Amino acid sequence: MLTGEEVEDVALPVVLEKLNFSFSVEGLFLEILERRETLLSQIKEIRRTRALHRASRKRHGQLDDQRLATVAVVGYTNAGKSTLVSALSGADLYSDSRLFATLDTRLKSVVLPSGRKVLLGDTVGFISDLPVQLVKAFHATLEEAVEADLLVHLIDSTAPNIEEHRATVLQVLQQIGVSEEKLQNMIEVWNKIDYEEEMSADGEASSLWGDEGGGIASELSTGAEDVEINGFSGGSEGDFEETIDSEQDDYSDGWLLSGDDQEMVGDHWLKTLDERQGEASDDLGMEKDVQWQAQHGPHVKISATTGVGLQELLELIDERLKTQDEKLRKQNVVGRSFLIENGDPHVRRRLA
Ligand SMILES: Nc1nc2c(ncn2[C@@H]2O[C@H](COP(=O)(O)OP(=O)(O)OP(=O)(O)O)[C@@H](O)[C@H]2O)c(=O)[nH]1
Ligand SMILES: [Mg+2]
């Protein structure tokens, strides 16, 4: 009499043969290595292109004496970043409720209420307990966030563990080298308030937000358009549309690690996902979040899908950039007078 395992040993090859199924571990491994190499070289190319674009934008700004500021939308995965950038720019970016829907980042041109034109960038979503190896991979896609003049931190207000998401995002931003000053200046936005409003309308839990909110998306005067700077066109084929992997469905491939790396992070990664699911259904956690919400209000509450609060957000971006410009101008004046008083005589003569 055969044991269960012995039956499997004997039966499996027969079944596979009948199904005409062939499986080669070596083949799969080679395919994975090849895919990894391709992605790494794509990331390298993207970084190079981005550096050129940034230099170009700076040169352009200096020549015109009118800097084209960049605003990066950052946030936990699934917060609604792509939906928001699409709503503000009139572009149609890929959004999905799966994790890491966005692996590519794009810059879209948006006109603020004051008439000022800025570049708005979508970014890849963050996630808690990100293994170090993945943080490295994120660096390439997040350089735009480090370089941005202003950050908009989008938070999914319906998530059961907002505080954890918020802390994770701040931690990752610090890890990738975003300055303390930029973090202080970051605009914090709660998204998906329509969800709460829907619940209130149904007579369920009362809304956390009151009844404030801005206009609807169609009322926005964003004047969104594709970017064109120094000959670079931001249309769908343009260089500003920087894509890591155009096969969006293939999202998991971007995070393939080497065998050793996988061993190191695998257990931890799976464990934290499980833990997070546990936390999501934890009533105490919910209560903590509500307390946290009461203490740390956002700067703006919006719904990227209905457009509520978007006008208010644009006005805030406008205001922050203006304040930043004034601060920079003051610093430049101070620096200039310092050089005139103490600097090299040649420089002094030129500045005076
Ligand atoms: N109810 C509601 N759903 C929203 C809102 N904004 C986004 N969503 C939904 O939330 C899901 C995630 O949206 P995305 O824009 O892909 O989120 P993301 O932050 O770009 O996600 P990643 O790219 O994975 O980081 C999608 O199903 C959106 O339709 C909103 O204001 N209200
Ligand atoms: Mg996205």
Side-chain angles (χ1 to χ4, degrees):
M1 180 81 178
L2 293 173
T3 64
E5 269 176 29
E6 283 164 342
V7 169
E8 266 179 32
D9 282 350
V10 176
L12 194 60
V14 177
V15 173
L16 289 178
E17 203 185 312
K18 279 210 184 327
L19 289 172
N20 200 12
F21 185 86
S22 72
F23 178 76
S24 151
V25 177
E26 290 85 14
L28 190 65
F29 186 66
L30 282 177
E31 210 177 291
I32 289 171
L33 280 184
E34 222 170 81
R35 180 82 178 128
R36 190 173 186 266
E37 279 310 304
T38 313
L39 286 169
L40 285 176
S41 71
Q42 278 177 332
I43 286 175
K44 204 169 155 189
E45 184 55 26
I46 284 166
R47 296 182 89 156
R48 200 186 66 82
T49 318
R50 288 228 181 108
L52 285 173
H53 287 163
R54 276 196 292 271
S56 160
R57 288 204 298 269
K58 268 188 194 139
R59 265 202 318 278
H60 182 82
Q62 277 161 7
L63 287 178
D64 282 1
D65 197 30
Q66 214 190 32
R67 260 173 15 90
L68 197 55
T70 50
V71 180
V73 180
V74 297
Y76 207 83
T77 186
N78 208 42
K81 300 176 295 296
S82 301
T83 311
L84 174 64
V85 174
S86 298
L88 292 178
S89 66
D92 193 13
L93 298 188
Y94 181 81
S95 70
D96 200 297
S97 54
R98 287 173 306 176
L99 295 183
F100 302 128
T102 301
L103 286 182
D104 63 338
T105 57
R106 289 140 197 255
L107 289 172
K108 287 283 165 190
S109 151
V110 170
V111 180
L112 299 176
S114 68
R116 177 180 189 162
K117 195 173 174 181
V118 294
L119 295 177
L120 190 65
D122 190 9
T123 64
V124 63
F126 302 168
I127 196 153
S128 54
D129 296 315
L130 194 68
V132 168
Q133 289 82 356
L134 292 193
V135 173
K136 276 188 207 158
F138 269 71
H139 273 224
T141 58
L142 286 171
E143 271 171 3
E144 216 58 66
V146 181
E147 295 285 331
D149 296 279
L150 185 66
L151 297 178
V152 171
H153 179 189
L154 196 64
I155 299 175
D156 178 352
S157 61
T158 67
N161 36 2
I162 298 184
E163 192 175 359
E164 193 194 314
H165 287 189
R166 185 177 177 269
T168 299
V169 170
L170 290 177
Q171 194 187 4
V172 176
L173 288 173
Q174 276 167 341
Q175 273 175 352
I176 61 170
V178 172
S179 71
E180 199 51 44
E181 193 185 351
K182 213 178 275 180
L183 290 179
Q184 294 286 331
N185 210 27
M186 184 161 72
I187 299 177
E188 205 162 278
V189 181
W190 280 0
N191 189 28
K192 307 193 186 179
I193 60 162
D194 56 298
Y195 190 83
E196 291 295 331
E197 278 160 2
E198 235 173 65
M199 276 177 72
S200 315
D202 289 349
E204 297 277 325
S206 67
S207 171
L208 286 166
W209 330 114
D211 52 8
E212 59 204 273
I216 55 166
S218 57
E219 288 171 7
L220 292 173
S221 56
T222 57
E225 55 191 69
D226 285 334
V227 179
E228 191 155 350
I229 305 161
N230 283 6
F232 287 120
S233 159
S236 57
E237 301 291 320
D239 281 338
F240 266 104
E241 303 256 317
E242 300 151 352
T243 305
I244 288 182
D245 187 353
S246 57
E247 296 165 42
Q248 295 271 15
D249 285 339
D250 211 1
Y251 61 94
S252 60
D253 285 11
W255 313 109
L256 286 176
L257 310 171
S258 72
D260 289 350
D261 291 348
Q262 267 177 358
E263 255 174 43
M264 267 177 66
V265 303
D267 288 350
H268 177 59
W269 179 242
L270 289 173
K271 198 169 136 244
T272 45
L273 277 176
D274 281 350
E275 275 170 2
R276 243 177 313 125
Q277 269 168 7
E279 278 165 27
S281 57
D282 184 350
D283 279 354
L284 267 176
M286 283 288 276
E287 205 179 294
K288 215 176 72 194
D289 280 330
V290 173
Q291 279 171 9
W292 178 84
Q293 283 164 12
Q295 286 163 12
H296 306 256
H299 296 106
V300 200
K301 298 160 194 167
I302 65 158
S303 162
T305 49
T306 67
V308 168
L310 297 192
Q311 186 70 32
E312 204 183 334
L313 173 60
L314 287 176
E315 279 164 12
L316 191 55
I317 292 174
D318 224 350
E319 197 186 299
R320 285 280 163 106
L321 286 173
K322 205 169 138 210
T323 313
Q324 251 173 235
D325 282 352
E326 276 161 14
K327 216 165 138 188
L328 264 176
R329 215 168 292 133
K330 268 188 203 146
Q331 278 169 2
N332 283 345
V333 170
V334 172
R336 209 179 145 98
S337 11
F338 178 83
L339 277 175
I340 290 174
E341 279 165 28
N342 308 296
D344 178 300
H346 296 293
V347 179
R348 275 211 304 261
R349 259 200 306 280
R350 235 175 338 113
L351 289 173

